């Protein structure tokens, strides 16, 4: 067996209109871009709402 360390910081935010906090949450972790892989988000047309909160 290999020896390794695994670190996965996680923050879960629930609630109405939480997508409005998305840009701030991405920046909090040092990010500048976001890739969305969730078909449900695309289906509900939330991508436009998320994209409007510029990172």
């Amino acid at each position: 067996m290999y020896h390794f360390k695994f670190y996965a910081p996680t923050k879960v935010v629930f609630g109405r209109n939480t997508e409005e906090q998305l840009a701030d949450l991405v920046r909090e972790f040092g990010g500048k871009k976001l890739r969305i892989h969730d078909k449900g988000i695309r289906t509900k047309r939330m991508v436009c709402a998320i994209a409007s909160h510029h990172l």
Side-chain angles (χ1 to χ4, degrees):
M1 181 172 178
Y2 295 105
H3 295 274
F4 63 91
K5 292 182 181 180
F6 179 73
Y7 175 71
T10 304
K11 185 172 193 174
V12 180
V13 180
F14 286 98
R16 185 176 295 228
N17 300 320
T18 53
E19 71 275 3
E20 293 174 6
Q21 302 172 35
L22 188 58
D24 293 330
L25 293 169
V26 170
R27 281 191 214 103
E28 182 179 323
F29 286 95
K32 294 181 181 179
K33 295 181 181 181
L34 177 68
R35 180 175 291 180
I36 299 171
H37 292 277
D38 188 306
K39 183 179 179 182
I41 290 174
R42 290 192 310 257
T43 302
K44 294 179 183 178
R45 298 181 182 176
M46 291 177 64
V47 173
C48 291
I50 291 169
S52 69
H53 300 284
H54 302 291
L55 302 176

